[in-house]
Amino acid sequence: MYPDDTYDVPAQRAVEVHHPTPFPPAVAVSAPVVPVQPGTVPAVASIVLPDGRVVTGYAINPIQPEPVVAKPAVSRTAVNVALGGVGFLAVCGGLILLTSFIAALTAFITQLIILAAVIFGGWIAVQLFSASGHQGGTTVNIRKATFKRNHFHG
């Protein structure tokens, strides 16, 4: 697992212990930063590695994220007023469309009635004028006329 060419025995090595100087925490305030020594020196942790080396340092606490500020809840009254306004606009729009549809349907039916009256009135006019036009004229029997024509040309 470890290299075999290490001739130093862990007990024979000199161990140097370093005590690092801590940095002051960063301040996000625009006031001038004044270096201040902490009241107590934080504990220094030392770890002995498997090959005998000693690592010394401060324990680092995990950074806690700032809590998320909860959004203010929207009041139920505001939601109800907004939904009521949308519903009212939808009903008004539907009534306008319904009114337009009824007006268009009425115009279409009126035009159909006028067309029927014109056609029926024309038919009645043709019947009246065609019946009155032959009353004063001579009625010709087509069979006899055809016979005479064939007889004269034959």
Side-chain angles (χ1 to χ4, degrees):
M1 182 170 184
Y2 297 105
D4 294 331
D5 59 350
T6 56
Y7 299 108
D8 294 332
V9 179
Q12 295 176 350
R13 277 192 216 171
V15 177
E16 294 181 31
V17 177
H18 297 281
H19 296 284
T21 306
F23 291 116
V27 180
V29 182
S30 61
V33 179
V34 178
V36 177
Q37 284 289 8
T40 60
V41 177
V44 178
S46 297
I47 299 174
V48 179
L49 298 177
D51 62 352
R53 293 182 294 163
V54 177
V55 178
T56 304
Y58 293 107
I60 299 174
N61 295 330
I63 298 173
Q64 297 291 333
E66 293 184 20
V68 178
V69 178
K71 293 183 179 179
V74 179
S75 69
R76 294 189 69 89
T77 305
V79 171
N80 290 338
V81 167
L83 289 177
V86 169
F88 179 75
L89 290 176
V91 168
C92 289
L95 288 175
I96 289 173
L97 289 176
L98 181 64
T99 305
S100 300
F101 175 74
I102 291 172
L105 187 63
T106 304
F108 178 69
I109 291 172
T110 304
Q111 288 178 356
L112 285 179
I113 292 171
I114 292 172
L115 179 65
V118 167
I119 291 174
F120 186 67
W123 182 76
I124 291 175
V126 167
Q127 294 300 319
L128 289 176
F129 291 127
S130 66
S132 66
H134 287 295
Q135 288 177 356
T138 306
T139 303
V140 178
N141 191 343
I142 294 177
R143 287 187 183 171
K144 289 181 181 177
T146 305
F147 176 76
K148 287 179 182 178
R149 190 184 72 195
N150 289 339
H151 178 70
F152 287 123
H153 291 287

